[in-house]
Amino acid sequence: MAQEVRGVIAPGKDEPVRVETIVVPDPGPGEAVVRVQACGVCHTDLHYKQGGISDDFPFLLGHEAAGVVESVGAGVTDVAPGDFVVLNWRAVCGNCRACLRGRPWYCFDTHNAKQKMTLTDGTELSPALGIGAFAEKTLVAAGQCTKVDPAVSPAVAGLLGCGVMAGLGAAINTGDVGRGDSVAVIGCGGVGDAAIAGATLAGAAKIIAVDIDDRKLAKARTLGATHTVNSKETDPVEAVRELTGGFGADVVIEAVGRPDTYQQAFYARDLAGTVVLVGVPTPEMKLELPLLDVFGRGGALKSSWYGDCLPSRDFPVLIDLHLQGRLPLDAFVTETVRLDEVEKAFERMHHGDVLRSVVVL
Ligand code: APR
Ligand code: ZN
Ligand code: ZN
């Protein structure tokens, strides 16, 4: 039987979000209905509301979630009712060229639920990133559910569903930070701070946090930054070089998404270092570099897509590390809010004092 629950809808471009009754169908083949327990508020939800991602209004927002599987459809064997799961927005197919080459994070055929959730008048909803978890229950593809240790708090677990995984993975997976490495992280919001936590976990010897906001730099220190640079006051490229014996960092992670910070990342690395781009630029942004500098530097220039994570491999391990006290994921939950406070959480995002507001149901 389809069920009616409450969910947060973005009704139209730039209109305030609101709580509405939504209809969640029974799971079809390969699908699952999840009782959502917590869902973080991400910039991407705000971009959906602003019409910056697609015009398919109304959206059912929310995509950084954890909860309990309520029911599963035909053929689902990996998860079962009662399982505590973190949702992901890249359920990989296992069969495409990328998957078969062992790089499933580039999968061409990721999937979401085929059935649609609707408003009570039958209007179809577009779930944000194929999830839609600012809702008491949501319908997803079973492959979007990853079972993790239920001892963790749902608010913390859900963070792995997007921004925190992007940052952790930028350091651990894409950047492949190793023991003793020097790492610079440009931009210390939720994503950059998660990269710092990832670099700490990986055993980096020096972690240089760069931001234009001293409050962000203070927070970055609590997550493992050993040095901080306010790039409004000090040239960050010079500062990183100075702190690394004149060489530049082994791994530089860009977590802002601007041409000037991309450029800083390019020059702040060691000649054979790795630049990891995780900040998302806008379509009109361009980077201009002397070709001789591109040619003259070895190493690697990589972008990181959802932290190049493989949910089934990464989520359970990261939750276990957190439960062992080795990964302070709770530091990313600044506040918990109710379902009807998402609009308020969007406003707080702008003030820069929130890593994550998490809706707890
Ligand atoms: N130089 C250095 N830091 C900057 C600059 C700059 N020119 N401009 C902004 N920042 C800092 C901000 O002070 C803030 O601490 O970058 C940080 C951005 O953090 P958030 O706005 O919280 O964004 P976050 O969620 O961390 O995402 C960062 O990664 O995945 C992408 O889409 C995401 O592009 C976004 C980026
Ligand atoms: Zn695939
Ligand atoms: Zn997100």
Side-chain angles (χ1 to χ4, degrees), residues 278-296:
V278 59
V280 182
T282 58
E284 68 284 357
M285 289 178 178
K286 291 203 163 58
L287 180 62
E288 241 181 275
L289 289 170
L291 285 188
L292 195 57
D293 287 354
V294 178
F295 172 77

Side-chain angles (χ1 to χ4, degrees), residues 251-334:
V251 181
V252 182
I253 297 168
E254 199 281 0
V256 188
R258 295 166 46 104
D260 55 342
T261 45
Y262 264 52
Q263 181 133 15
Q264 289 162 6
F266 184 81
Y267 286 108
R269 69 173 159 146
D270 178 82
L271 281 185
T274 301
V275 177
V276 178
L277 306 168
V278 59
V280 182
T282 58
E284 68 284 357
M285 289 178 178
K286 291 203 163 58
L287 180 62
E288 241 181 275
L289 289 170
L291 285 188
L292 195 57
D293 287 354
V294 178
F295 172 77
R297 295 176 158 256
L301 191 59
K302 293 169 134 185
S303 61
S304 185
W305 183 232
Y306 199 172
D308 291 346
C309 79
L310 188 52
S312 56
R313 177 194 66 190
D314 295 338
F315 290 0
V317 172
L318 293 169
I319 294 292
D320 288 350
L321 288 169
H322 168 68
L323 289 171
Q324 294 161 9
R326 296 157 74 189
L327 181 61
L329 292 176
D330 43 339
F332 293 86
V333 181
T334 311

Side-chain angles (χ1 to χ4, degrees), residues 2-39:
Q3 335 180 34
E4 294 191 355
V5 301
R6 295 184 313 142
V8 177
I9 305 300
K13 191 171 161 58
D14 281 328
E15 286 175 40
V17 303
R18 59 172 186 252
V19 177
E20 290 260 3
T21 300
I22 64 166
V23 181
V24 180
D26 278 346
E31 295 176 346
V33 168
V34 174
R35 182 165 57 76
V36 180
Q37 293 177 306
C39 183

Side-chain angles (χ1 to χ4, degrees), residues 55-143:
D55 294 326
D56 288 335
F57 289 99
F59 292 106
L60 174 60
L61 298 181
H63 61 274
E64 264 188 19
V68 175
V69 175
E70 184 185 75
S71 53
V72 297
V76 174
T77 52
D78 285 352
V79 287
D83 283 350
F84 179 64
V85 294
V86 176
L87 300 183
N88 75 77
W89 45 266
R90 303 261 310 154
V92 301
C93 78
N95 273 317
C96 71
R97 177 178 152 86
C99 284
L100 293 175
R101 294 174 96 202
R103 295 179 186 168
W105 42 91
Y106 291 132
C107 175
F108 307 126
D109 194 19
T110 62
H111 45 282
N112 304 322
K114 290 208 170 58
Q115 296 186 88
K116 290 286 184 182
M117 292 179 275
T118 64
L119 294 174
T120 48
D121 67 3
T123 307
E124 286 190 355
L125 295 168
S126 309
L129 292 179
I131 293 186
F134 289 150
E136 290 161 327
K137 294 179 185 178
T138 191
L139 174 78
V140 292

